Amino acid sequence: VSGVDRTFDLMIVHYGDGDKYKDDGEFYIRAKGTKFNIIGDIFDQIPKGYEYVFIPDDDLHMTSVQIDRLFELAKEYKLKICQPSLVGYYSVALNLNHPGSLLRYTDYVEIICPCFDMETFEMCKHTFNHNKSCWGIDFLWAKVLGYPEDAIAVVDDVIAVHTRPCYCGDNYSNNNVNEPHVELKKIIEENNLSWDRKVYSTVVKKEDYDQP
């Protein structure tokens, strides 16, 4: 995250060695494991009293202004789960940026950078340790909410740059995650889910904000 002025607090969860980032945020935790396994394990240590929690991967570039804008739109549109749109490397085409769109209501937000309101975060926490790779747990979140058509969104007015090729992070090798596709398929089949991802409707952008 670049930029120094922000309205949000920063919790750094460091899965590496050493304490390189210890003083870079308001909260700091060291923990080993895959991303949402860690979130599940430290859930009770996450400070309460916030309206939203945003959980981006470590290879995304965003400014503090962009993150503030994501929270602003999540609150304005009463979103339960959302994410910024992506440019750069991607695995799910649905999440690529759509110029001219403010946001798109969908039934899917990817584990790469979800933003939850705190009630939904609590509702979804049982999915975080569902498997080791964490692949497929993002398919469960819309099911947990009952598939609303106006509460889950990809926010095109906010862009995150994905800076690293997909599936190349060291967290896979560090945690012996060898067949994440198998775990993904298992979630889909066991929960009778569809592989398709839907866009229900689009909110058209009226004007651009200054997005550095």
Side-chain angles (χ1 to χ4, degrees), residues 76-99:
E76 179 179 351
Y77 285 88
K78 298 180 173 60
L79 301 175
K80 296 292 187 181
I81 317 175
C82 64
Q83 71 163 82
S85 60
L86 300 179
V87 297
Y89 299 102
Y90 72 96
S91 60
V92 180
L94 174 76
N95 300 328
L96 289 172
N97 180 255
H98 281 217

PDB file of all heavy atoms in Angstrom, residues 76-99:
ATOM      1  N   GLU A  76     -21.539   2.914   1.099  1.00  0.00           N
ATOM      2  CA  GLU A  76     -22.597   3.617   0.367  1.00  0.00           C
ATOM      3  C   GLU A  76     -23.596   2.644  -0.254  1.00  0.00           C
ATOM      4  O   GLU A  76     -24.807   2.885  -0.222  1.00  0.00           O
ATOM      5  CB  GLU A  76     -21.982   4.493  -0.727  1.00  0.00           C
ATOM      6  CG  GLU A  76     -23.019   5.241  -1.562  1.00  0.00           C
ATOM      7  CD  GLU A  76     -22.388   6.117  -2.639  1.00  0.00           C
ATOM      8  OE1 GLU A  76     -21.139   6.278  -2.623  1.00  0.00           O
ATOM      9  OE2 GLU A  76     -23.129   6.636  -3.490  1.00  0.00           O
ATOM     10  N   TYR A  77     -23.101   1.541  -0.804  1.00  0.00           N
ATOM     11  CA  TYR A  77     -23.974   0.587  -1.490  1.00  0.00           C
ATOM     12  C   TYR A  77     -24.341  -0.603  -0.600  1.00  0.00           C
ATOM     13  O   TYR A  77     -24.931  -1.567  -1.085  1.00  0.00           O
ATOM     14  CB  TYR A  77     -23.309   0.123  -2.788  1.00  0.00           C
ATOM     15  CG  TYR A  77     -23.370   1.193  -3.861  1.00  0.00           C
ATOM     16  CD1 TYR A  77     -22.375   2.161  -3.954  1.00  0.00           C
ATOM     17  CD2 TYR A  77     -24.442   1.251  -4.751  1.00  0.00           C
ATOM     18  CE1 TYR A  77     -22.435   3.160  -4.913  1.00  0.00           C
ATOM     19  CE2 TYR A  77     -24.507   2.240  -5.716  1.00  0.00           C
ATOM     20  CZ  TYR A  77     -23.511   3.197  -5.797  1.00  0.00           C
ATOM     21  OH  TYR A  77     -23.581   4.193  -6.758  1.00  0.00           O
ATOM     22  N   LYS A  78     -23.999  -0.517   0.666  1.00  0.00           N
ATOM     23  CA  LYS A  78     -24.371  -1.545   1.651  1.00  0.00           C
ATOM     24  C   LYS A  78     -23.930  -2.942   1.193  1.00  0.00           C
ATOM     25  O   LYS A  78     -24.690  -3.916   1.253  1.00  0.00           O
ATOM     26  CB  LYS A  78     -25.875  -1.519   1.924  1.00  0.00           C
ATOM     27  CG  LYS A  78     -26.364  -0.208   2.519  1.00  0.00           C
ATOM     28  CD  LYS A  78     -27.862  -0.233   2.758  1.00  0.00           C
ATOM     29  CE  LYS A  78     -28.345   0.999   3.515  1.00  0.00           C
ATOM     30  NZ  LYS A  78     -28.057   2.275   2.780  1.00  0.00           N
ATOM     31  N   LEU A  79     -22.681  -3.027   0.742  1.00  0.00           N
ATOM     32  CA  LEU A  79     -22.150  -4.286   0.247  1.00  0.00           C
ATOM     33  C   LEU A  79     -21.732  -5.190   1.404  1.00  0.00           C
ATOM     34  O   LEU A  79     -21.099  -4.743   2.353  1.00  0.00           O
ATOM     35  CB  LEU A  79     -20.960  -4.028  -0.672  1.00  0.00           C
ATOM     36  CG  LEU A  79     -21.249  -3.166  -1.906  1.00  0.00           C
ATOM     37  CD1 LEU A  79     -19.961  -2.886  -2.666  1.00  0.00           C
ATOM     38  CD2 LEU A  79     -22.289  -3.826  -2.806  1.00  0.00           C
ATOM     39  N   LYS A  80     -22.075  -6.460   1.296  1.00  0.00           N
ATOM     40  CA  LYS A  80     -21.666  -7.450   2.296  1.00  0.00           C
ATOM     41  C   LYS A  80     -20.247  -7.951   2.029  1.00  0.00           C
ATOM     42  O   LYS A  80     -19.458  -8.143   2.956  1.00  0.00           O
ATOM     43  CB  LYS A  80     -22.643  -8.628   2.289  1.00  0.00           C
ATOM     44  CG  LYS A  80     -24.058  -8.273   2.692  1.00  0.00           C
ATOM     45  CD  LYS A  80     -24.145  -7.890   4.153  1.00  0.00           C
ATOM     46  CE  LYS A  80     -25.570  -7.685   4.612  1.00  0.00           C
ATOM     47  NZ  LYS A  80     -25.638  -7.282   6.045  1.00  0.00           N
ATOM     48  N   ILE A  81     -19.961  -8.202   0.751  1.00  0.00           N
ATOM     49  CA  ILE A  81     -18.622  -8.614   0.326  1.00  0.00           C
ATOM     50  C   ILE A  81     -18.326  -7.908  -0.985  1.00  0.00           C
ATOM     51  O   ILE A  81     -19.190  -7.828  -1.869  1.00  0.00           O
ATOM     52  CB  ILE A  81     -18.493 -10.133   0.105  1.00  0.00           C
ATOM     53  CG1 ILE A  81     -19.165 -10.942   1.208  1.00  0.00           C
ATOM     54  CG2 ILE A  81     -17.023 -10.530  -0.003  1.00  0.00           C
ATOM     55  CD1 ILE A  81     -19.164 -12.446   0.951  1.00  0.00           C
ATOM     56  N   CYS A  82     -17.123  -7.395  -1.130  1.00  0.00           N
ATOM     57  CA  CYS A  82     -16.742  -6.784  -2.397  1.00  0.00           C
ATOM     58  C   CYS A  82     -15.240  -6.921  -2.588  1.00  0.00           C
ATOM     59  O   CYS A  82     -14.534  -7.439  -1.716  1.00  0.00           O
ATOM     60  CB  CYS A  82     -17.160  -5.312  -2.449  1.00  0.00           C
ATOM     61  SG  CYS A  82     -16.352  -4.243  -1.226  1.00  0.00           S
ATOM     62  N   GLN A  83     -14.767  -6.474  -3.728  1.00  0.00           N
ATOM     63  CA  GLN A  83     -13.331  -6.457  -4.002  1.00  0.00           C
ATOM     64  C   GLN A  83     -13.060  -5.397  -5.047  1.00  0.00           C
ATOM     65  O   GLN A  83     -13.941  -5.035  -5.837  1.00  0.00           O
ATOM     66  CB  GLN A  83     -12.842  -7.811  -4.518  1.00  0.00           C
ATOM     67  CG  GLN A  83     -13.305  -8.156  -5.929  1.00  0.00           C
ATOM     68  CD  GLN A  83     -12.476  -9.279  -6.535  1.00  0.00           C
ATOM     69  OE1 GLN A  83     -12.724 -10.444  -6.272  1.00  0.00           O
ATOM     70  NE2 GLN A  83     -11.493  -8.919  -7.351  1.00  0.00           N
ATOM     71  N   PRO A  84     -11.837  -4.857  -5.077  1.00  0.00           N
ATOM     72  CA  PRO A  84     -11.469  -3.982  -6.189  1.00  0.00           C
ATOM     73  C   PRO A  84     -11.348  -4.794  -7.467  1.00  0.00           C
ATOM     74  O   PRO A  84     -11.091  -6.005  -7.428  1.00  0.00           O
ATOM     75  CB  PRO A  84     -10.119  -3.418  -5.762  1.00  0.00           C
ATOM     76  CG  PRO A  84      -9.552  -4.451  -4.842  1.00  0.00           C
ATOM     77  CD  PRO A  84     -10.737  -5.039  -4.123  1.00  0.00           C
ATOM     78  N   SER A  85     -11.535  -4.140  -8.593  1.00  0.00           N
ATOM     79  CA  SER A  85     -11.267  -4.805  -9.867  1.00  0.00           C
ATOM     80  C   SER A  85      -9.763  -4.912 -10.069  1.00  0.00           C
ATOM     81  O   SER A  85      -8.980  -4.213  -9.410  1.00  0.00           O
ATOM     82  CB  SER A  85     -11.910  -4.026 -11.019  1.00  0.00           C
ATOM     83  OG  SER A  85     -11.387  -2.708 -11.075  1.00  0.00           O
ATOM     84  N   LEU A  86      -9.363  -5.787 -10.972  1.00  0.00           N
ATOM     85  CA  LEU A  86      -7.941  -6.089 -11.160  1.00  0.00           C
ATOM     86  C   LEU A  86      -7.446  -5.662 -12.533  1.00  0.00           C
ATOM     87  O   LEU A  86      -8.191  -5.695 -13.519  1.00  0.00           O
ATOM     88  CB  LEU A  86      -7.692  -7.589 -11.005  1.00  0.00           C
ATOM     89  CG  LEU A  86      -8.055  -8.238  -9.663  1.00  0.00           C
ATOM     90  CD1 LEU A  86      -7.767  -9.728  -9.721  1.00  0.00           C
ATOM     91  CD2 LEU A  86      -7.298  -7.586  -8.505  1.00  0.00           C
ATOM     92  N   VAL A  87      -6.182  -5.291 -12.577  1.00  0.00           N
ATOM     93  CA  VAL A  87      -5.434  -5.205 -13.836  1.00  0.00           C
ATOM     94  C   VAL A  87      -4.130  -5.964 -13.617  1.00  0.00           C
ATOM     95  O   VAL A  87      -3.700  -6.186 -12.491  1.00  0.00           O
ATOM     96  CB  VAL A  87      -5.145  -3.744 -14.252  1.00  0.00           C
ATOM     97  CG1 VAL A  87      -6.438  -2.991 -14.513  1.00  0.00           C
ATOM     98  CG2 VAL A  87      -4.301  -3.021 -13.213  1.00  0.00           C
ATOM     99  N   GLY A  88      -3.520  -6.382 -14.721  1.00  0.00           N
ATOM    100  CA  GLY A  88      -2.299  -7.178 -14.606  1.00  0.00           C
ATOM    101  C   GLY A  88      -2.627  -8.655 -14.657  1.00  0.00           C
ATOM    102  O   GLY A  88      -3.532  -9.089 -15.372  1.00  0.00           O
ATOM    103  N   TYR A  89      -1.898  -9.444 -13.899  1.00  0.00           N
ATOM    104  CA  TYR A  89      -2.106 -10.892 -13.877  1.00  0.00           C
ATOM    105  C   TYR A  89      -3.459 -11.215 -13.238  1.00  0.00           C
ATOM    106  O   TYR A  89      -3.888 -10.551 -12.298  1.00  0.00           O
ATOM    107  CB  TYR A  89      -0.990 -11.580 -13.098  1.00  0.00           C
ATOM    108  CG  TYR A  89       0.382 -11.364 -13.681  1.00  0.00           C
ATOM    109  CD1 TYR A  89       1.259 -10.442 -13.116  1.00  0.00           C
ATOM    110  CD2 TYR A  89       0.797 -12.073 -14.809  1.00  0.00           C
ATOM    111  CE1 TYR A  89       2.530 -10.233 -13.654  1.00  0.00           C
ATOM    112  CE2 TYR A  89       2.062 -11.871 -15.354  1.00  0.00           C
ATOM    113  CZ  TYR A  89       2.922 -10.955 -14.771  1.00  0.00           C
ATOM    114  OH  TYR A  89       4.169 -10.753 -15.321  1.00  0.00           O
ATOM    115  N   TYR A  90      -4.109 -12.256 -13.760  1.00  0.00           N
ATOM    116  CA  TYR A  90      -5.419 -12.615 -13.213  1.00  0.00           C
ATOM    117  C   TYR A  90      -5.702 -14.088 -13.451  1.00  0.00           C
ATOM    118  O   TYR A  90      -5.112 -14.729 -14.326  1.00  0.00           O
ATOM    119  CB  TYR A  90      -6.528 -11.770 -13.852  1.00  0.00           C
ATOM    120  CG  TYR A  90      -6.818 -12.130 -15.297  1.00  0.00           C
ATOM    121  CD1 TYR A  90      -7.858 -12.996 -15.622  1.00  0.00           C
ATOM    122  CD2 TYR A  90      -6.022 -11.631 -16.336  1.00  0.00           C
ATOM    123  CE1 TYR A  90      -8.117 -13.337 -16.949  1.00  0.00           C
ATOM    124  CE2 TYR A  90      -6.270 -11.969 -17.651  1.00  0.00           C
ATOM    125  CZ  TYR A  90      -7.323 -12.818 -17.961  1.00  0.00           C
ATOM    126  OH  TYR A  90      -7.571 -13.169 -19.257  1.00  0.00           O
ATOM    127  N   SER A  91      -6.633 -14.629 -12.672  1.00  0.00           N
ATOM    128  CA  SER A  91      -7.085 -16.001 -12.878  1.00  0.00           C
ATOM    129  C   SER A  91      -8.575 -16.070 -13.183  1.00  0.00           C
ATOM    130  O   SER A  91      -9.045 -17.058 -13.751  1.00  0.00           O
ATOM    131  CB  SER A  91      -6.773 -16.864 -11.645  1.00  0.00           C
ATOM    132  OG  SER A  91      -7.421 -16.353 -10.496  1.00  0.00           O
ATOM    133  N   VAL A  92      -9.326 -15.044 -12.796  1.00  0.00           N
ATOM    134  CA  VAL A  92     -10.778 -15.017 -13.010  1.00  0.00           C
ATOM    135  C   VAL A  92     -11.122 -13.764 -13.801  1.00  0.00           C
ATOM    136  O   VAL A  92     -10.996 -12.645 -13.292  1.00  0.00           O
ATOM    137  CB  VAL A  92     -11.534 -15.032 -11.663  1.00  0.00           C
ATOM    138  CG1 VAL A  92     -13.038 -14.999 -11.902  1.00  0.00           C
ATOM    139  CG2 VAL A  92     -11.151 -16.256 -10.841  1.00  0.00           C
ATOM    140  N   ALA A  93     -11.578 -13.943 -15.035  1.00  0.00           N
ATOM    141  CA  ALA A  93     -11.829 -12.799 -15.921  1.00  0.00           C
ATOM    142  C   ALA A  93     -12.908 -11.873 -15.376  1.00  0.00           C
ATOM    143  O   ALA A  93     -12.894 -10.661 -15.643  1.00  0.00           O
ATOM    144  CB  ALA A  93     -12.228 -13.302 -17.311  1.00  0.00           C
ATOM    145  N   LEU A  94     -13.842 -12.406 -14.607  1.00  0.00           N
ATOM    146  CA  LEU A  94     -14.914 -11.607 -14.019  1.00  0.00           C
ATOM    147  C   LEU A  94     -14.366 -10.414 -13.237  1.00  0.00           C
ATOM    148  O   LEU A  94     -14.997  -9.352 -13.170  1.00  0.00           O
ATOM    149  CB  LEU A  94     -15.753 -12.483 -13.088  1.00  0.00           C
ATOM    150  CG  LEU A  94     -16.847 -11.804 -12.264  1.00  0.00           C
ATOM    151  CD1 LEU A  94     -18.041 -11.477 -13.146  1.00  0.00           C
ATOM    152  CD2 LEU A  94     -17.271 -12.676 -11.101  1.00  0.00           C
ATOM    153  N   ASN A  95     -13.182 -10.576 -12.651  1.00  0.00           N
ATOM    154  CA  ASN A  95     -12.660  -9.566 -11.745  1.00  0.00           C
ATOM    155  C   ASN A  95     -11.793  -8.515 -12.420  1.00  0.00           C
ATOM    156  O   ASN A  95     -11.314  -7.595 -11.750  1.00  0.00           O
ATOM    157  CB  ASN A  95     -11.875 -10.240 -10.618  1.00  0.00           C
ATOM    158  CG  ASN A  95     -12.739 -11.182  -9.808  1.00  0.00           C
ATOM    159  OD1 ASN A  95     -13.927 -10.949  -9.658  1.00  0.00           O
ATOM    160  ND2 ASN A  95     -12.154 -12.253  -9.299  1.00  0.00           N
ATOM    161  N   LEU A  96     -11.592  -8.629 -13.733  1.00  0.00           N
ATOM    162  CA  LEU A  96     -10.830  -7.615 -14.449  1.00  0.00           C
ATOM    163  C   LEU A  96     -11.615  -6.310 -14.517  1.00  0.00           C
ATOM    164  O   LEU A  96     -12.844  -6.297 -14.558  1.00  0.00           O
ATOM    165  CB  LEU A  96     -10.510  -8.098 -15.862  1.00  0.00           C
ATOM    166  CG  LEU A  96      -9.475  -9.217 -15.957  1.00  0.00           C
ATOM    167  CD1 LEU A  96      -9.382  -9.740 -17.383  1.00  0.00           C
ATOM    168  CD2 LEU A  96      -8.112  -8.739 -15.474  1.00  0.00           C
ATOM    169  N   ASN A  97     -10.893  -5.203 -14.544  1.00  0.00           N
ATOM    170  CA  ASN A  97     -11.520  -3.889 -14.546  1.00  0.00           C
ATOM    171  C   ASN A  97     -12.390  -3.668 -15.781  1.00  0.00           C
ATOM    172  O   ASN A  97     -12.004  -4.010 -16.897  1.00  0.00           O
ATOM    173  CB  ASN A  97     -10.447  -2.800 -14.475  1.00  0.00           C
ATOM    174  CG  ASN A  97     -11.040  -1.412 -14.482  1.00  0.00           C
ATOM    175  OD1 ASN A  97     -10.989  -0.708 -15.488  1.00  0.00           O
ATOM    176  ND2 ASN A  97     -11.607  -1.019 -13.359  1.00  0.00           N
ATOM    177  N   HIS A  98     -13.571  -3.093 -15.550  1.00  0.00           N
ATOM    178  CA  HIS A  98     -14.488  -2.714 -16.616  1.00  0.00           C
ATOM    179  C   HIS A  98     -14.603  -1.191 -16.636  1.00  0.00           C
ATOM    180  O   HIS A  98     -15.326  -0.611 -15.825  1.00  0.00           O
ATOM    181  CB  HIS A  98     -15.870  -3.336 -16.389  1.00  0.00           C
ATOM    182  CG  HIS A  98     -15.960  -4.772 -16.779  1.00  0.00           C
ATOM    183  ND1 HIS A  98     -17.082  -5.327 -17.359  1.00  0.00           N
ATOM    184  CD2 HIS A  98     -15.058  -5.788 -16.681  1.00  0.00           C
ATOM    185  CE1 HIS A  98     -16.874  -6.611 -17.586  1.00  0.00           C
ATOM    186  NE2 HIS A  98     -15.653  -6.907 -17.184  1.00  0.00           N
ATOM    187  N   PRO A  99     -13.918  -0.514 -17.555  1.00  0.00           N
ATOM    188  CA  PRO A  99     -14.030   0.946 -17.630  1.00  0.00           C
ATOM    189  C   PRO A  99     -15.486   1.357 -17.873  1.00  0.00           C
ATOM    190  O   PRO A  99     -16.214   0.710 -18.617  1.00  0.00           O
ATOM    191  CB  PRO A  99     -13.145   1.298 -18.835  1.00  0.00           C
ATOM    192  CG  PRO A  99     -12.193   0.159 -18.956  1.00  0.00           C
ATOM    193  CD  PRO A  99     -12.971  -1.056 -18.552  1.00  0.00           C
TER     194      PRO A  99
END
